[in-house]
Amino acid sequence: MDPSRIREKIGRFRILVIGRANAGKTTILQRVCNTRDNPEIYDGAGKKIDLTVLMASREVRCAPSRCHELTCSQRGLHDIDNEMVFKSNPGFVFHDSRGFEAGGASEFEKVKEFIASRSKEQKITNQLHAIWYCIPMDEASRSFTAGENKFFSQCDTGSIPVIVLFTKFDALYDVEYAKLKKKGRSRKDAKELAPKRAEESFPNGPQLKFLKDVRWPPKCYVCLPNMEKDDADCKTLIERTAGALDNEVLQQLFVSTQQTNLEICMKYAVERTLSNHFDSAETTTSEGYRRMMGSLGTWFPHIRVRLS
């Protein structure tokens, strides 16, 4: 199907983002949507939430008469049914789940219920299309928590692919740097070699061994270092997510919606479009050429808008 028709029919690509506090989730979403701005938040009914009101109420001290107000504001801000949308790319809608690292039953059940309810939605536009599970690799958080054990052992996501994002992966560079220095390497050599050593040793580390043995393993994983830097690249995240989608229509929607990886747009445009036109005699005519270019252009909606 033509990607432009897919976007018209389905609307937006929906992702649930799960992760511990300070896992760098917002930064990654900003990178994916090519912005530094914060997202707009909408409730389940599509009504925009006034964040200034919520944040102001959160700052109220928890006096006995205001405990209920504070609790409600926090719940409102972190409600998993809320939709996070960035103005720079409204084709993505994100749902944010607070981490349940301590294995808390209530938050975990909310996530399970949310996944189950979205799986039962009749309209594909209301369904959940992918899950990004963020696990930070900074020193205090490398081991899997009780919440992550529970999720991967008890949460069957069905056809919804789970992609594990190992965030703050550059923290492992420091570990390898220390090892190299201990072995007598100079500071310069250790700094240059550390990233490569971290990438090479990670596949044999405890994190991936754990994920291989769980009942419901993720579809794939991606390591994301230095996402807070201006030149951070989320190309691998885009490629792995696209490859994890079994539904070809959703795959087309995701690829044509993302705006940070032009190369993957070109790849899918060529593979899914050119072969159909090369077999047609119309390709040699001006009208055939126009149609072919139009078909290719549907994979780059953000570029078309800027050029129009």
Side-chain angles (χ1 to χ4, degrees), residues 265-277:
C265 286
M266 295 171 64
K267 176 179 182 291
Y268 278 79
V270 170
E271 291 180 353
R272 304 291 172 82
T273 302
L274 285 186
S275 59
N276 296 331
H277 289 276

Side-chain angles (χ1 to χ4, degrees), residues 247-261:
N247 186 311
E248 187 172 338
V249 171
L250 289 178
Q251 192 177 60
Q252 287 180 284
L253 174 64
F254 176 78
V255 170
S256 61
T257 297
Q258 64 83 33
Q259 301 178 8
T260 57
N261 190 340

Side-chain angles (χ1 to χ4, degrees), residues 9 38 50 74 97 116 134 142 144 189 207 214 243 251-252 255 262 267 274 288:
K9 182 178 180 180
N38 289 322
D50 191 338
Q74 290 175 325
S97 169
C134 301
R142 288 179 197 135
F144 282 90
D189 288 347
Q207 289 82 13
V214 294
Q251 192 177 60
Q252 287 180 284
V255 170
L262 182 62
K267 176 179 182 291
L274 285 186

